[in-house]
Amino acid sequence: MRGVLGNDQVRDGTAVERVYACDSYSIERHEPECVVFPRNTYETQLAVQRCIEIDVPFTARGAGTGLSGGVTAVKGGVIVSTKRMNQILEVDPVNRCTLVQAGVVNQKVNNAVKPFGLMFAPDPSSQTVCTIGGNINENSGGPHTLKYGVTADHVLQATLVDSRAQVIVAGSRVSGGPGIDPLSLVVGSEGTLGIVTEAWLRLVPMPERIETALIAFSTIRSAVDAVVEVMARGVIPAALEMMDKHVLSAVEKAFGLDYPKGSEALLLIECDGRSQQAESEIRSAIEACLDCGATNVETAGNEEDRKRLWTARKKGIGAMGRLAPTIVTHDGVIPRSRLPEMLEFVYAIAEENSLGVANIFHAGDGNLHPCFYFDEREPGTVERVLAAGEAVLDKCVELGGSVTGEHGIGLEKIDSWSKSLSANDLRLQTTVREAFDVSGLCNPCKVIPNQKGCVEHRRRWSGAAT
Ligand SMILES: Cc1cc2nc3c(=O)[nH]c(=O)nc-3n(C[C@H](O)[C@H](O)[C@H](O)COP(=O)(O)OP(=O)(O)OC[C@H]3O[C@@H](n4cnc5c(N)ncnc54)[C@H](O)[C@@H]3O)c2cc1C
């Protein structure tokens, strides 16, 4: 690799291998042999070509904020970091699109297009660090997915280096295009079809007005009832997020903020669009919440207030370190009308397994993120966390949902997903993967269940803290 890319673009050694052994889901750790830092599509091709020659696997890595183990080097080999592919190559305000390299951080795209009154709508809560390549490969959502859609709705074209080191340009800069759409296969493929190096992204106008409210409830049940009621009244908020009292207590401890006493849950509701529309929608949403028993309503008068109201949602997961040394965040999705029974189930399963659980999630989408917090040094805890997580995912499927809303399958969900995959579905997934990953070296052992030679590499829990 040094011969191909130069010394400066290759790192190895124990420290590097450990840092790159996992993502934000650290239950499984696998150390790579080295990490390379190509700066463009051509250098990525060189790296992949070398991997093919020496027959070692390679795995693309953005910021490593993934929550399902997708970037772990299960069979060792090379991590291809996109860190140095960090250029915004073009902003085209007239056609509302931008060309960026895959390693550009989501927030930086927004900073660059804001002067044109435009935004890149997908806004994962990790957006200050996660990359566009990661967003595309996880088909990431975020608080504003409810109104604006997920990443798939905002990518026009992606340039990909496949596992033969060939360049594929999927999609087109303008909408439409003949034939089977390879871009729709690449988005959400979790790095298994190749390495995305560049993408044209769709931009949307920034809303004229944003109205934000933080609404407190004295029971979980009334908060989830309000989620269903807001949507039933025809309001489509830009964001409809929920945080329970455990999240609030972590945020209070971490940042010294106060929330209304006796609150079991808060809803963060944001409505945007033209001024009149945003105002009338937030009014309807607040009325729906009051009708469901809301105990306190705080609205944002300016941008500073808005940021403050978002604090618990944006910083909640980070603050959770105040509750216990280890957290594991799960991700499942259900029809939002089933939220009341689902949340009851989550709290009951945590109690049954003697675990703490905090809920912070995209309630409007029915996309849950139960965070189990615990001390992994206590014997038997990890097994209980895994059992509780599996029960939650099984319940999501039982209620008509799925085992992932936005964090992907990676390594974490392979077993859970395989339960709901028919033989035909599995064959189709495998065929698509093999059509792109001809050498079989591209991010092996991820997403697709039962890949040859992968089972022996799976290792449950290495005792690492999240
Ligand atoms: C605090 C926190 C909050 C989060 N909030 C959200 C949220 O609101 N919504 C959401 O959807 N997710 C969320 N996530 C999960 C995660 O941030 C997203 O999945 C994000 O898009 C991952 O980007 P990344 O650059 O960190 O990718 P990585 O973690 O580095 O990689 C993720 C996957 O994409 C592949 N990949 C990365 N770059 C490329 C590339 N250029 N080409 C091919 N494959 C590639 C990797 O191989 C891996 O399989 C959150 C995570 C954290 C830690």
Side-chain angles (χ1 to χ4, degrees):
M1 280 297 166
R2 289 204 161 94
V4 171
L5 291 175
N7 270 343
D8 183 44
Q9 277 163 257
V10 184
R11 293 276 183 277
D12 65 354
T14 314
V16 173
E17 286 152 13
R18 291 211 177 145
V19 168
Y20 287 88
C22 66
D23 55 12
S24 299
Y25 172 78
S26 56
I27 278 192
E28 300 216 28
R29 300 187 145 234
H30 302 273
E31 292 173 8
E33 265 115 292
C34 74
V35 183
V36 299
F37 301 90
R39 290 168 299 192
N40 50 41
T41 306
Y42 175 63
E43 290 183 356
T44 306
Q45 272 185 290
L46 292 180
V48 171
Q49 184 58 47
R50 190 74 187 118
C51 288
I52 298 166
E53 284 158 11
I54 57 179
D55 195 30
V56 299
F58 60 89
T59 298
R61 181 180 175 109
T65 64
L67 285 159
S68 57
V71 297
T72 46
V74 176
K75 288 186 170 182
V78 176
I79 294 283
V80 180
S81 166
T82 59
K83 209 181 169 76
R84 293 187 190 167
M85 289 194 258
N86 56 6
Q87 302 299 309
I88 295 175
L89 301 172
E90 193 177 331
V91 178
D92 177 353
V94 175
N95 293 300
R96 291 185 186 158
C97 54
T98 180
L99 175 64
V100 303
Q101 287 191 300
V104 173
V105 167
N106 176 302
Q107 182 66 57
K108 290 200 170 155
V109 177
N110 276 302
N111 296 346
V113 302
K114 194 173 173 189
F116 301 99
L118 297 170
M119 64 180 194
F120 177 58
D123 60 339
S125 303
S126 53
Q127 75 180 143
T128 52
V129 280
C130 68
T131 65
I132 294 300
N135 297 169
I136 291 174
N137 276 276
E138 294 290 345
N139 192 13
S140 295
H144 290 91
T145 297
L146 183 59
K147 179 168 179 180
Y148 290 95
V150 288
T151 301
D153 302 308
H154 300 275
V155 183
L156 295 165
Q157 187 183 80
T159 301
L160 183 85
V161 174
D162 74 6
S163 80
R164 283 171 299 186
Q166 291 184 354
V167 175
I168 295 174
V169 178
S172 85
R173 200 175 152 181
V174 291
S175 300
I180 292 170
D181 176 13
L183 181 63
S184 62
L185 301 175
V186 171
V187 178
S189 61
E190 301 188 36
T192 61
L193 303 188
I195 302 178
V196 173
T197 55
E198 287 179 9
W200 275 102
L201 307 176
R202 174 179 286 125
L203 304 171
V204 295
M206 288 170 71
E208 184 181 292
R209 179 85 169 236
I210 301 175
E211 294 286 345
T212 310
L214 190 63
I215 303 173
F217 294 83
S218 57
T219 65
I220 293 283
R221 180 72 203 214
S222 52
V224 281
D225 283 348
V227 172
V228 179
E229 186 57 28
V230 167
M231 301 299 288
R233 292 194 186 184
V235 177
I236 303 184
L240 176 40
E241 302 283 309
M242 179 167 157
M243 296 134 283
D244 74 7
K245 67 172 179 191
H246 306 290
V247 178
L248 301 182
S249 129
V251 175
E252 281 171 352
K253 283 183 190 149
F255 304 108
L257 294 174
D258 265 343
Y259 293 101
K261 295 278 167 276
S263 304
E264 285 287 315
L266 294 184
L267 290 185
L268 187 286
I269 305 184
E270 193 152 275
C271 296
D272 68 10
R274 297 223 173 256
S275 296
Q276 222 180 352
Q277 176 201 356
E279 279 166 20
S280 90
E281 286 197 343
I282 200 77
R283 217 177 305 119
S284 302
I286 291 171
E287 273 166 25
C289 291
L290 291 170
D291 290 348
C292 290
T295 52
N296 192 72
V297 177
E298 190 179 356
T299 51
N302 54 40
E303 188 53 28
E304 208 173 300
D305 280 353
R306 179 178 172 235
K307 276 195 186 134
R308 186 173 47 79
L309 298 191
W310 269 96
T311 307
R313 180 60 188 96
K314 292 275 182 191
K315 298 191 169 174
I317 292 191
M320 225 88 83
R322 303 282 172 148
L323 300 181
T326 313
I327 67 162
V328 167
T329 306
H330 281 281
D331 164 52
V333 65
I334 51 162
R336 63 178 159 261
S337 58
R338 311 301 293 269
L339 275 173
E341 61 197 289
M342 185 71 216
L343 278 189
E344 271 169 27
F345 180 84
V346 168
Y347 291 115
I349 204 81
E351 199 176 326
E352 214 173 275
N353 286 282
S354 312
L355 299 168
V357 70
N359 282 287
I360 174 165
F361 62 104
H362 311 306
D365 293 307
N367 183 189
L368 303 165
H369 293 323
C371 300
F372 292 110
Y373 53 91
F374 53 98
D375 187 341
E376 94 230 20
R377 292 164 298 190
E378 286 167 17
T381 314
V382 170
E383 288 72 16
R384 293 202 308 277
V385 172
L386 292 171
E390 201 170 325
V392 166
L393 296 181
D394 287 349
K395 188 72 179 175
C396 288
V397 174
E398 185 194 316
L399 294 181
S402 133
V403 298
T404 172
E406 57 182 18
H407 296 171
I409 300 294
L411 278 179
E412 184 203 6
K413 303 281 179 67
I414 291 184
D415 295 340
S416 315
W417 190 41
S418 62
K419 287 187 213 163
S420 51
L421 260 185
S422 73
N424 280 343
D425 291 341
L426 179 58
R427 201 172 310 118
L428 181 63
Q429 294 274 341
T430 310
T431 307
V432 170
R433 180 178 178 140
E434 287 172 356
F436 282 81
D437 182 19
V438 175
S439 70
L441 296 174
C442 185
N443 202 8
C445 307
K446 306 289 167 54
V447 185
I448 313 269
N450 310 327
Q451 289 170 67
K452 232 166 88 193
C454 285
V455 178
E456 65 270 26
H457 289 275
R458 303 279 315 274
R459 181 157 48 106
R460 281 282 190 205
W461 185 258
S462 60
T466 308

